[in-house]
Amino acid sequence: MAAKPPSALRSVLAALLGVQSEQQRKTDFQYGSLPKIILLGVVMIVLFVLLLIGVVSLVT
């Protein structure tokens, strides 16, 4: 059985995909670390942008 990703990472990925429930969002902010969630969000967005740049560079 595969290990579950850390709660903060799971929360950030769900939020970026737009599939996070209101109840889960409230739980994440109640028990999670806000700076950690913000940092993970910024890192995930930067990685996504770099991935897009790489794909466009390969195609053109």
Side-chain angles (χ1 to χ4, degrees):
M1 185 172 193
K4 288 185 179 180
S7 179
L9 179 59
R10 192 171 53 237
S11 175
V12 168
L13 289 174
L16 287 174
L17 293 174
V19 297
Q20 188 172 32
S21 68
E22 180 68 18
Q23 179 64 32
Q24 185 62 40
R25 185 192 64 78
K26 287 179 182 178
T27 302
D28 289 338
F29 281 105
Q30 184 177 3
Y31 297 108
S33 168
L34 184 58
K36 185 176 181 181
I37 292 172
I38 291 172
L39 179 63
L40 278 171
V42 170
V43 168
M44 294 302 292
I45 290 171
V46 168
L47 289 175
F48 179 70
V49 169
L50 290 175
L51 176 70
L52 287 178
I53 291 171
V55 168
V56 169
S57 295
L58 287 173
V59 173
T60 58

